Amino acid sequence: MGKLASVAEALLTPHGVDRYLELIDPMLVRRGIRGRITAVRRQTPATLTMTIRPSRAWRGFRAGQYVRVTVTIDGVRRTRCYSPACSQHRADGQLELTVKALEDGLVSGYLHRYAEPGMVLGLSEPDGTFGLPDPRPEHVLLISGGSGITPVLAMLRTLADENHPGEVALLHYENEPADLPYRAELAELVADRPNFRVRFACTMTDRGGDLHGFFSRAHLDQVAPWFGAAETFLCGPVPLMDSVRKEYANEGLSERLHTEEFTPPAFAAEPGEVTGQVRFTRSGKEFANSGKPLLEQAEDAGLRPEHGCRMGICFSCTQLKASGPVRNLRTGEVSAEDNEEIQLCISAPCGDVEINA
Ligand code: FES
């Protein structure tokens, strides 16, 4: 079969077998991973949960990692990162992705409107270092807010499948009771596991949750009085992350706190670097460097480069920089190598820069 496939591949060059297989059934492609939606459900008005059967190239994931999901909207491929919310040991090998509709979310809005069984999505290999270590820590505390629940939920379900004997607790924050996802399911999951505990907190109401108000030491003591002896995994909005970090720093427990952040880079271009001309050679656009990330500068000039997360995670904005110095806004490093691949969303020019796009 392998030989036959390579002969076919050679005959079908330059397009390759995958281009033709894609037309017959996208799930048959041999390079790259696709996923077919097998079920959708709406747990809360703002969330969409999709069950997805990945194609054969999928090799599984570790709880806490994310995958890049690609959809084509109006002819443009768009990529976003989502963390599977299911156990990494899920028996049927399918993935569960829960997508929160963001107000101006292009991809999340599209999925909310159009996702249905049968739809095929592009998937990447799983990525990311946020996850449970091996061997598992004895006690595990999971703290999340909003869509940050998905990676820690995968951890909780994975530990449940492994019959983890230590204490495991999940403390999850949403604004209102109507936003709380997975409530019934998690109640069932912990019902016959006395060492597992799930508590939902509502920040904007004083009823409807197990706890109310923003993260506090009191919440921590109620949910996991043993937190000092645990490894804690945290994913959620910046204010929640900041308060948990502060509490753990006060307790001298910062090294036991593991975080996942989907936030834009903190660095900005240095004022002295806002010089030079930026040239997008293929599209023939040239303009004065404004100091913003290259993706934004290109968009300001009327270009529409492919992009996804806009924060350096998904790599969908990667382009070849022909020449010129750019600062990586995530690491702060400046690189002036010719013909190097850069991510437009986190690279700011520091002088004359030429991009092959
Ligand atoms: S848009 Fe995701 S890395 Fe640039």
Side-chain angles (χ1 to χ4, degrees):
M1 179 62 196
K3 242 185 204 166
L4 204 62
S6 26
V7 171
E9 184 86 45
L11 289 174
L12 295 171
T13 299
H15 294 318
V17 178
D18 275 352
R19 272 284 290 278
Y20 297 92
L21 290 177
E22 182 100 50
L23 297 175
I24 302 165
D25 180 351
M27 293 292 281
L28 295 175
V29 297
R30 300 173 317 137
R31 300 201 179 100
I33 308 169
R34 304 285 187 277
R36 191 187 296 281
I37 299 177
T38 57
V40 293
R41 67 193 165 110
R42 288 176 166 75
Q43 305 189 54
T44 70
T47 59
L48 170 81
T49 298
M50 302 180 284
T51 310
I52 297 170
R53 180 179 303 290
S55 57
R56 269 187 302 166
W58 177 254
R59 295 277 169 270
F61 75 105
R62 278 179 293 106
Q65 289 188 299
Y66 57 82
V67 291
R68 298 178 189 91
V69 172
T70 303
V71 291
T72 303
I73 305 173
D74 295 333
V76 182
R77 281 159 51 83
R78 308 282 182 179
T79 302
R80 296 291 184 273
C81 299
Y82 297 109
S83 297
C86 50
S87 162
Q88 68 184 57
H89 307 300
R90 189 176 157 129
D92 63 5
Q94 298 202 62
L95 284 180
E96 179 182 302
L97 300 184
T98 291
V99 175
K100 194 158 193 167
L102 303 172
E103 222 162 85
D104 51 1
L106 185 65
V107 173
S108 63
Y110 175 86
L111 288 171
H112 273 256
R113 277 194 298 283
Y114 301 114
E116 58 178 13
M119 185 188 225
V120 175
L121 311 169
L123 297 178
S124 72
E125 300 280 358
D127 210 342
T129 52
F130 186 59
L132 295 168
D134 265 323
R136 308 301 192 212
E138 189 180 352
H139 298 328
V140 177
L141 172 59
L142 308 165
I143 305 177
S144 57
S147 51
I149 193 172
T150 54
V152 299
L153 183 55
M155 294 182 196
L156 183 85
R157 287 165 147 181
T158 296
L159 290 170
D161 278 350
E162 293 173 357
N163 289 321
H164 187 70
E167 299 283 350
V168 180
L170 166 64
L171 168 58
H172 178 70
Y173 288 84
E174 292 283 354
N175 288 343
E176 323 230 350
D179 299 330
L180 295 172
Y182 291 104
R183 247 186 145 174
E185 244 169 286
L186 288 177
E188 206 173 296
L189 182 142
V190 299
D192 55 353
R193 291 185 176 85
N195 55 327
F196 278 59
R197 181 180 298 185
V198 173
R199 293 289 183 273
F200 286 107
C202 296
T203 51
M204 308 306 263
T205 60
D206 55 8
R207 61 179 59 109
D210 305 311
L211 299 165
H212 301 95
F214 290 100
F215 170 82
S216 66
R217 175 59 191 260
H219 284 185
L220 206 48
D221 287 334
Q222 280 182 60
V223 175
W226 37 263
F227 73 93
E231 296 297 322
T232 298
F233 298 85
L234 165 69
C235 183
V238 176
L240 172 67
M241 310 274 287
D242 287 348
S243 353
V244 179
R245 276 202 189 103
K246 210 162 137 205
E247 190 60 48
Y248 273 64
N250 287 343
E251 293 294 322
L253 290 172
S254 297
E255 77 289 352
R256 287 180 168 257
L257 181 63
H258 314 279
T259 59
E260 173 80 306
E261 248 165 318
F262 292 123
T263 49
F267 283 100
E270 306 281 328
E273 292 172 348
V274 185
T275 61
Q277 291 289 114
V278 179
R279 212 149 77 84
F280 279 74
T281 37
R282 255 183 285 135
S283 28
K285 289 268 182 189
E286 181 164 346
F287 42 86
N289 174 18
S290 67
K292 292 187 195 171
L294 276 162
L295 176 62
E296 280 180 51
Q297 297 207 36
E299 288 172 338
D300 289 347
L303 300 175
R304 294 176 69 207
E306 191 181 321
H307 65 274
C309 64
R310 306 185 79 97
M311 55 185 81
I313 298 169
C314 72
F315 290 90
S316 52
C317 64
T318 303
Q319 295 286 354
L320 198 68
K321 180 196 65 170
S323 63
V326 293
R327 182 180 288 278
N328 180 316
L329 299 173
R330 276 186 94 85
T331 63
E333 276 166 35
V334 174
S335 165
E337 268 183 46
D338 288 349
N339 296 320
E340 101 183 297
E341 287 202 326
I342 58 164
Q343 291 159 274
L344 297 184
C345 69
I346 53 160
S347 301
C350 320
D352 290 335
V353 165
E354 207 168 283
I355 309 290
N356 282 351

